[in-house]
Amino acid sequence: MIFDFPSTPFSRKLAERYGYDEFIIRRWERFFGREETERLVRAMEEVPKYIRVNTLKCDESKLLSRLERRGFRLRETEVRFCYEVVEEPYSVGATPEYLLGYYYVMDKSSCVPPLALKPEEGETVVDFAASPGGKTTMLAQLMNNTGRIIAIEGNRDRIQPLVDNIHRMGVLNTAVIHMNSAEFWKTGIKADRILLDAPCTGEGIIHKDPARKTSRGAEDIRFCSTLQRKMLESALRSLKPGGVLVYSTCSLTPEENELVIDEVLREHDVRLEEVEYGEPAMTRVGDVELSPELEKAKRFYPHIHRCSGFFVAKLVMGGSRARENSS
């Protein structure tokens, strides 16, 4: 199911002013309301830049001091290890500290999925869509380079950037595998935790790639949501009992977010756990009622959180039906 709604004077005017395909704007208008949509569109033009400190290589306070001496001004955020770049005398991706792997240039919203997954030292963790490695290397950081991470990437051209970032960030516990994550369950490997930052239409990162204002439509949403369901199915089949799966996208479309997770809740023995940051996810889309549990998943918006548009859901295997059977 792909939602679409009639065009309005508001959606036509806003789409023309900011260069969007009107399909996107008229959907946002119905999902979020006119005032919120206008705020969202304006904020998408000016999302700040963020870095994530890599404590595998550098003490947080020492890194901040070094960057401040170079003329950078950073602001602490509510998200652990993440700092907003307030002043940038030159590219924050061109410092010696960046090249040494002391930090990763990474949106605030992208730091949330690894934190939500909460990997523990010694565990087996799988990153289902790993390149370019921001979340993979953050998982290693949270695990203090212990245990084992399997970083999967299906696109051969994206393997080398992933390997390069793993080396630059000083990660020692990660193996990179080139394969289709939808087939991973066939390996028989069972993970304690899986991160699936799924391929998506990327409505939430229009500020990084303005071409997405007009290059994504209904067929792209349909293609991505089908792929996401296949990858989720494989991930759920690859978890140990009681294992944890965090699903995320940089999309604002409910067809890639709430509707996908609602289907999982109906078809699998899983439950949602609260994600610490963000706004509650939708429990109603158009005339479609979804599970009230979806409020535990979270959304991020440029005009509210000053970051990319994002969705994060945390699933635990063997939860809901197990509780029902014991009651």
Side-chain angles (χ1 to χ4, degrees), residues 21-310:
D21 185 332
E22 198 253 346
F23 168 78
I24 295 175
I25 301 298
R26 66 178 181 253
R27 282 164 44 91
W28 288 359
E29 180 184 359
R30 281 294 298 270
F31 296 150
F32 312 129
R34 289 183 179 178
E35 183 179 343
E36 291 297 300
T37 296
E38 189 157 7
R39 291 178 60 208
L40 190 163
V41 170
R42 287 202 306 265
M44 189 70 81
E45 302 294 310
E46 48 190 29
V47 174
K49 189 178 291 184
Y50 297 89
I51 67 168
R52 186 259 300 172
V53 180
N54 178 24
T55 55
L56 290 177
K57 280 199 165 186
C58 187
D59 177 80
E60 218 163 334
S61 60
K62 289 181 180 178
L63 173 64
L64 297 178
S65 296
R66 289 178 65 148
L67 290 177
E68 285 168 6
R69 286 197 299 270
R70 295 188 185 279
F72 292 89
R73 189 158 69 88
L74 305 172
R75 179 186 295 136
E76 189 175 8
T77 73
E78 72 277 18
V79 177
R80 191 179 173 198
F81 305 119
C82 182
Y83 291 81
E84 179 185 343
V85 181
V86 179
E87 289 185 12
E88 187 181 22
Y90 55 95
S91 173
V92 75
T95 69
E97 289 79 12
Y98 172 81
L99 297 173
L100 288 167
Y102 291 176
Y103 62 89
Y104 198 102
V105 180
M106 185 172 180
D107 191 80
K108 180 172 66 173
S109 61
S110 294
C111 296
V112 174
L115 291 171
L117 191 65
K118 291 185 179 177
E120 297 182 3
E121 295 187 13
E123 289 186 327
T124 297
V125 177
V126 185
D127 188 342
F128 256 43
S131 190
K135 297 178 186 68
T136 306
T137 55
M138 189 171 184
L139 292 171
Q141 174 179 336
L142 295 172
M143 296 167 71
N144 291 317
N145 252 342
T146 68
R148 61 217 60 84
I149 297 173
I150 300 172
I152 302 174
E153 179 51 51
N155 185 339
R156 184 177 294 277
D157 293 337
R158 291 169 59 86
I159 293 288
Q160 194 58 54
L162 172 61
V163 171
D164 291 345
N165 279 318
I166 286 171
H167 290 162
R168 183 174 65 86
M169 304 299 281
V171 171
L172 304 173
N173 65 345
T174 299
V176 175
I177 299 178
H178 174 229
M179 72 174 299
N180 179 358
S181 291
E183 304 293 321
F184 181 77
W185 66 273
K186 295 179 181 179
T187 67
I189 296 171
K190 296 295 182 180
D192 296 290
R193 300 174 198 263
I194 293 176
L195 177 61
L196 172 53
D197 186 48
C200 66
T201 55
E203 273 189 2
I205 56 170
I206 284 171
H207 64 99
K208 296 181 183 179
D209 181 9
R212 293 175 189 264
K213 290 180 178 181
T214 57
S215 64
R216 299 294 187 273
E219 286 306 311
D220 301 288
I221 296 171
R222 185 174 289 108
F223 172 84
C224 287
S225 62
T226 299
L227 175 61
Q228 289 152 1
R229 284 174 167 85
K230 290 178 181 177
M231 295 175 77
L232 262 171
E233 184 71 29
S234 177
L236 292 168
R237 296 178 74 172
S238 303
L239 278 174
K240 296 177 182 178
V244 179
L245 165 67
V246 167
Y247 173 86
S248 61
T249 76
C250 57
S251 176
L252 293 171
T253 69
E255 296 92 340
E256 299 178 82
N257 297 324
E258 285 89 350
L259 270 68
V260 171
I261 298 301
D262 186 68
E263 183 177 299
V264 168
L265 291 173
R266 286 187 281 105
E267 296 183 356
H268 294 272
D269 184 15
V270 297
R271 60 183 170 85
L272 279 172
E273 282 196 352
E274 192 87 24
V275 175
E276 183 176 355
Y277 311 99
E279 300 294 304
M282 298 178 181
T283 56
R284 181 186 180 93
V285 182
D287 295 327
V288 179
E289 294 281 353
L290 306 175
S291 169
E293 288 291 294
L294 277 162
E295 285 195 346
K296 295 178 180 177
K298 296 296 173 62
R299 278 178 163 260
F300 297 82
Y301 300 98
H303 64 295
I304 298 175
H305 306 99
R306 303 183 72 247
C307 63
S308 298
F310 224 77

